[in-house]
Amino acid sequence: MTSQTALPSLPARPAAGPVRVASVPAGHVYVRHCADPHGEADVVRLDDPRPNGAPSTSQRWWPPVMLDPAWVAEHHREFDVYHLHFGFDAQSPRQLSELVSALRRHGKPLVYTVHDLRNPHQPDPRPHEAALDVLVPAADRLITLTPGAATQIRRRWGRSATVLPHPHVVEQPALSRPRPGRDSFVVGVHAKSLRPNMAVLPVTRVLAETVAELPGAELRVNIHHEVADPAAHAYAPEVLSELRELNERGLLELREHDYFSDEQLWDYLAGLDLSVLPYTFGTHSGWLEACHDLGTAVAAPTCGFYAEQRPCLSYAGEAPEGPDPESLRAVITEAYERRPAWRSTPGERAKERSAVAAAHLDLYHELLGRTPRCA
């Protein structure tokens, strides 16, 4: 069950040359931070091809052009390893099988980092499960972020996955910026554009009731403007109506706005003492990593492997039941009393990132028959 598919025999690239990686995508913050922070001459990641219709100045990487078998056929001489992360939501199992076949045909090893065992953007788990049933068995090497995810991969597919931590998300100078001082205790929920895995109203109702009983505590709920736009996919007038009513009653402060820039997001997160993730399904979280970078405590549900990813408070909550009110209330009270502020130092994050980069390089070298750097 754990054997890898044999690759066609191709001339090995010179051991002294950098490993050229077709990373899908290359521009995502996770992928960018898998490179050594001190500079990396041993790995070259191809730039994301610009999708059709994206302007020349755009940094948009989706939908990933590299998922097309025709792109592999045309560009296979330009890369040594194909490393898939995100962006295949719209691909059918047949299309993914054709991609795997194209990589095999041209002798290109496939590395797949299993970020999501359950796709947070898809209410129906079956399409993602079907995609995983193609990718996980076909990959020559698997990576994931937590031991729990690796255990589930082993149980479901009989495959071993290398566990590597998620590198930091926030960059300097925000990574080193001291937290703002305040006397109040601020709890935040960011509803964003109501992703399918969010139980915004059930979570907010419990928080509004709980926070109102805690002296000096405040509840802030943020949501994107498009939730109020009838032409938008995220349009949800009933959700917005209830949040506005709670705001008018003084039970929370509602902030409606466009998508944050990175700097705006870091300022928002640093302004919270506790960020509550209102999820009912998922696996890992970049939001949790950003909070860890900034010293903002997180309350996360027991679905997925958030508690293995970084220190956080856990409340019982997963689909289809949603959040358990008593569990969530207890977590908010605990955070209020303890005031946890888990935060890695910039030096620890840099060291961790260097280790992640080295582990990726060694894995690539092993696949290409080169001597790993740690040997």
Side-chain angles (χ1 to χ4, degrees):
M1 294 285 286
T2 59
S3 60
Q4 274 84 43
T5 305
L7 294 171
S9 211
L10 290 181
R13 282 182 44 79
V19 179
R20 304 169 304 169
V21 181
S23 187
V24 186
H28 190 280
V29 64
Y30 172 92
V31 181
R32 289 189 284 107
H33 288 179
C34 284
D36 194 295
H38 305 297
E40 192 171 47
D42 298 316
V43 175
V44 176
R45 291 176 175 85
L46 276 60
D47 291 335
D48 293 310
R50 194 165 59 249
N52 288 336
S56 59
T57 56
S58 173
Q59 295 183 350
R60 199 186 87 191
W61 52 264
W62 68 91
V65 176
M66 289 184 188
L67 291 174
D68 189 343
W71 182 92
V72 174
E74 183 178 353
H75 297 276
H76 66 90
R77 293 181 180 83
E78 299 169 20
F79 66 93
D80 306 303
V81 175
Y82 189 97
H83 193 154
L84 179 59
H85 292 271
F86 313 106
F88 54 88
D89 305 44
Q91 306 301 111
S92 68
R94 179 185 59 79
Q95 290 171 313
L96 292 173
S97 295
E98 290 172 353
L99 170 66
V100 170
S101 295
L103 293 170
R104 292 284 171 263
R105 191 159 50 248
H106 296 287
K108 302 300 177 181
L110 168 63
V111 178
Y112 174 40
T113 296
V114 187
H115 293 270
D116 299 310
L117 288 165
R118 175 80 189 268
N119 191 319
H121 303 284
Q122 296 176 335
D124 183 353
R126 289 174 294 181
H128 191 67
E129 289 172 354
L132 293 180
D133 283 340
V134 174
L135 294 172
V136 173
D140 296 284
R141 293 293 185 276
L142 295 168
I143 296 171
T144 193
L145 309 182
T146 56
T151 297
Q152 196 168 104
I153 290 166
R154 189 178 303 110
R155 287 173 179 166
R156 287 174 61 176
W157 294 282
R159 295 295 310 275
S160 296
T162 299
V163 177
L164 297 176
H166 194 304
H168 67 93
V169 172
V170 179
E171 301 190 51
Q172 296 288 11
L175 191 61
S176 298
R177 191 174 297 147
R179 287 184 59 79
R182 56 178 165 269
D183 296 326
S184 61
F185 181 77
V186 184
V187 179
V189 175
H190 200 318
K192 304 182 186 179
S193 297
L194 301 179
R195 207 163 58 181
N197 72 331
M198 289 186 171
V200 171
L201 289 181
V203 166
T204 300
R205 291 171 190 140
V206 175
L207 295 182
E209 178 184 298
T210 305
V211 171
E213 297 173 354
L214 302 175
E218 306 170 19
L219 174 60
R220 295 177 187 167
V221 176
N222 286 51
I223 198 165
H224 291 154
H225 277 141
E226 62 183 347
V227 175
D229 181 359
H233 180 71
Y235 181 55
E238 69 288 348
V239 174
L240 199 55
S241 175
E242 182 166 341
L243 292 176
R244 286 172 173 170
E245 180 186 354
L246 291 170
N247 178 73
E248 290 170 2
R249 291 167 56 193
L251 294 174
L252 57 82
E253 178 186 352
L254 180 64
R255 298 181 179 183
E256 303 174 40
H257 55 82
D258 292 325
Y259 285 72
F260 282 146
S261 67
D262 284 351
E263 284 306 311
Q264 288 172 328
L265 179 56
W266 310 153
D267 287 344
Y268 159 75
L269 288 176
L272 304 178
D273 295 288
L274 180 69
S275 180
V276 180
L277 307 186
Y279 304 159
T280 55
F281 57 86
T283 311
H284 302 115
S285 170
W287 191 273
L288 173 58
E289 294 291 339
C291 288
H292 190 64
D293 288 333
L294 297 167
T296 300
V298 168
T302 49
C303 61
F305 301 101
Y306 308 114
E308 290 188 13
Q309 190 178 339
R310 296 294 168 190
C312 63
L313 299 170
S314 297
Y315 67 90
E318 54 188 284
E321 293 84 5
D324 175 72
E326 290 305 316
S327 176
L328 180 55
R329 190 173 293 114
V331 160
I332 302 307
T333 303
E334 179 183 356
Y336 175 80
E337 293 173 349
R338 285 179 50 198
R339 309 293 170 105
W342 298 291
R343 186 180 194 179
S344 286
T345 67
E348 290 168 339
R349 279 304 222 178
K351 183 178 179 180
E352 180 182 64
R353 178 173 164 182
S354 292
V356 167
H360 277 82
L361 177 59
D362 287 344
L363 185 148
Y364 298 152
H365 278 173
E366 179 189 351
L367 277 174
L368 297 172
R370 304 181 184 182
T371 302
R373 186 168 62 174
C374 65

